[in-house]
Each structure stands twice: as structure tokens, then as C-alpha cells.
Amino acid sequence: MPVLNEEGYLETAVRTILDQDYAGEKEIVLALGPSRDRTDEIAAALAAADARVRLVENPQTHIPAGLNLAIAASRHPVVVRVDAHSELTPDYTRRGIEALGREGAANVGGVMRAAGRGAVQRAIARGYNSPFGLGGGAYHGDGSAAPAESAYLGIFRREALDAVGGYDPAILRGEDWELNLRIRRAGGLVWFEPALGVTYWPRASLGDLARQFFATGTWRAVLVRRYGRANPWRFFAPGALVLGLAASLVGLVLLVCGVLPWGSAWSLLLAPAALYLLGIAYATIRIPDQRGLRDHLLTAATLVTMHLSWGSGFLRGITLGGGRVVDRSRV
């Protein structure tokens, strides 16, 4: 588990791991980044209370580096990646290892079910859980068990990780997809097992969501630059959306300033913005678990934040690369 500034989530996340009904031996290795809250104190208390909890330092802060350090410090033939913002169901490890053996897989992942406590975090969770928000990956829904492109978190055979060299520390976001691509190219099977459930607690503010998604979009573009056609088409959609909306905005300014005549051209220029607004309205109506106007407005704001932040980051990454862009939403 890579950990940074997680005082509000770490203890509960670790408890769900300790409470797994898996009968075999297990250990929990926490890779501690330079937190500025009480995270290190909580981690030390957990390690003192249970010898199965071990700590390693992650001075580089970044998730892939922390994961590699934790994996190197671990001792068992199965490696289960976990997250401080996630809570595992009690049968997660047992069912995952059963699927790993049954399918002969290199990695097994389950369903990420986002949840929220306040109105904003619940709206962000609705965006995570909806195809109108993240969409695409099987682990955002409840599909059938099948081979998968990637996996949320992951239950790995250690030899599969060793064979591909672990996580790439140069990929600061999208590291799971990139690792699973290399595993699949090496002949390993990545398996989606919908019986595995994980509760994920997303960011609790739209500002933090925007920072997270800008970084994610930037590093997805880096993956496109590196792996080209191996990337699914959905990676390109948010960037294309931002370009279309930018064209609509420029067209509107030109029309208002009189540079362009108010003729047939204006409808073509404004079409991307109009279609997007209609799409957001449709999605907001269709997404379940909303009560009242406030929930619907927050859902719409969440979707727009996700799409435009991701798309803007993607365009940045395509043109300039990843550079020093990192997810600062937890710093």
C-alpha cells in the first residue's frame, strides 16, 4: 500500500485487510511517503499493534516507486495491491487467489465501487460509478468474469511481476494500465472477477478532483505517446471534447465581435458546446441515487470537472509530455 497524507482513511483500510477471511499467511507492507499529517504516527501504531504490518520509507513520494519498494520488502508468492482510500470486502483475498489459480491468471482484479460521505463526495462517487463519468474499464461496472485490459488494484503472481520488472517508476499516473499491458504482452492473463468488491473513497472536493484528473489525463497522454495504438479509443475522447469546446468558444467570440457573419457557419461552430450541454443534461438525469436539485447540479458539475480536467491534461501531455505534473490533490 503506497501511503501519503491518509490520516482519515489509513486505519480503516488496514483493518479491512487484517480482517480478511483468507486462511493463509499474510503481511501488509506500507510504503510511507513524506506525509504532512498524522499518517506516519497512525502507521507506526498499527505496526506496533500487529506484527503483520510492516513499514518501508518511500522518499520519492510517487505511487509506482512506493509500490516497487513495498513489493521488494514483501515475502510471499502472491502480491495484493491495496490502496489507503479503499476498503476490501472480507472475502476479497480468498476469492481473488481462488480466481488466480482457477484461471491460471497473472493478475486478477474486481469491481471498484465508489462511495461518499458528504454531498460533494457522493456526487463524485456517482461520477466514478457511471459510464458517463469514467466509463470504459470493466472494473467500473458489474460485467461478467472475463479476460481484461487492466485491473483495479490487482492480485498478482509474484513471478509475473518479476518477469516484467514491476511498476515503471517513470509513469506517475496510469501505472496500473501500463503494468498490465506489459504483463499481457509477456503472455500473462489479466482477469476481471466481478465477485471481488472494493469500496473506494474518492476526493471530497471538486478542486481536488480537478487536480487529480488533470494529472491523470496528462499521464494517459504519455502512455499514448509511448504505446500508440495499444491505447483504447476512449483515452482520446476527453481531449477531443476540450478541442471541440475551445472551437465553439472561439467561434462564439468571433461571432459576437462581428468577425464572422451570423449565417449558417455559427450553428456549426457552436454545435460541439450545444451537444455537450445536452449530453451532460441527459447523463445527469440518467445517473441514479440523486435526491433533489442540489444533487443533480453537483452531479453535472462533477461530470464537467472530470471531462474537462482529464481532457486538458491529456492535451498538455500530448504536446509537452508528463514533465513534473503530479497529482497534488492529496498533498
Side-chain angles (χ1 to χ4, degrees):
M1 178 191 292
V3 181
L4 180 70
N5 294 322
E6 297 289 5
E7 66 177 3
Y9 295 91
L10 178 60
E11 184 168 2
T12 301
V14 170
R15 295 295 178 198
T16 69
I17 301 167
L18 293 173
D19 291 342
Q20 293 288 291
D21 64 13
Y22 177 65
E25 292 184 8
K26 60 176 177 281
E27 61 184 347
I28 307 168
V29 185
L30 308 181
L32 301 178
S35 295
R36 299 179 181 178
D37 59 10
R38 295 181 55 252
T39 292
D40 287 0
E41 178 184 338
I42 294 169
L46 290 167
D50 195 312
R52 294 173 295 176
V53 180
R54 300 168 55 216
L55 311 179
V56 297
E57 296 296 325
N58 177 25
Q60 297 183 57
T61 303
H62 304 308
I63 290 173
L67 287 168
N68 285 338
L69 289 168
I71 291 167
S74 66
R75 298 172 294 207
H76 294 296
V78 174
V79 175
V80 183
R81 178 188 170 171
V82 288
D83 187 86
H85 266 238
S86 297
E87 297 174 14
L88 309 180
T89 57
D91 60 357
Y92 180 87
T93 303
R94 174 173 54 82
R95 284 178 175 267
I97 292 178
E98 288 172 357
L100 201 68
R102 182 182 68 245
E103 305 299 335
N107 184 20
V108 171
V111 178
M112 180 185 77
R113 296 186 177 94
R117 295 188 175 96
V120 175
Q121 192 178 37
R122 285 195 297 271
I124 293 172
R126 290 193 291 271
Y128 265 88
N129 292 332
S130 170
F132 298 113
L134 287 184
Y139 48 84
H140 293 303
D142 293 305
S144 302
E149 170 192 319
S150 186
Y152 175 58
L153 300 179
I155 299 176
F156 300 86
R157 295 181 187 271
R158 177 180 292 275
E159 62 263 29
L161 286 172
D162 291 342
V164 298
Y167 290 87
D168 185 341
I171 301 296
L172 303 187
R173 300 288 296 175
E175 69 282 349
D176 294 309
W177 183 90
E178 195 274 342
L179 172 63
N180 282 290
L181 174 64
R182 286 187 282 118
I183 288 174
R184 288 188 288 113
R185 286 184 168 181
L189 172 65
V190 178
W191 185 260
F192 171 63
E193 185 64 39
L196 306 185
V198 183
T199 298
Y200 173 74
W201 298 96
R203 307 303 190 267
S205 76
L206 292 176
D208 284 345
L209 181 70
R211 284 185 280 274
Q212 178 193 18
F213 271 59
F214 182 85
T216 299
T218 298
W219 285 96
R220 287 297 187 186
V222 173
L223 294 176
V224 168
R225 287 165 60 126
R226 177 182 289 192
Y227 292 111
R229 293 182 180 180
N231 294 270
W233 68 267
R234 68 179 184 273
F235 283 10
F236 299 86
L241 169 66
V242 170
L243 289 176
L245 294 178
S248 286
L249 179 61
V250 171
L252 180 61
V253 171
L254 294 177
L255 289 167
V256 170
C257 294
V259 177
L260 292 177
W262 286 86
S264 58
W266 74 269
S267 59
L268 183 62
L269 287 169
L270 301 184
L275 290 173
Y276 181 61
L277 290 175
L278 287 173
I280 290 295
Y282 176 78
T284 301
I285 292 170
R286 291 296 304 274
I287 290 176
D289 301 323
Q290 301 182 84
R291 297 179 181 178
L293 178 61
R294 185 190 184 196
D295 273 5
H296 284 81
L297 291 175
L298 285 173
T299 296
T302 293
L303 294 177
V304 171
T305 301
M306 285 180 163
H307 299 160
L308 300 191
S309 300
W310 205 106
S312 299
F314 184 86
L315 295 177
R316 193 270 186 210
I318 281 290
T319 55
L320 301 175
R324 297 185 179 181
V325 175
V326 295
D327 176 12
R328 299 192 179 278
S329 61
R330 293 183 183 173
V331 177

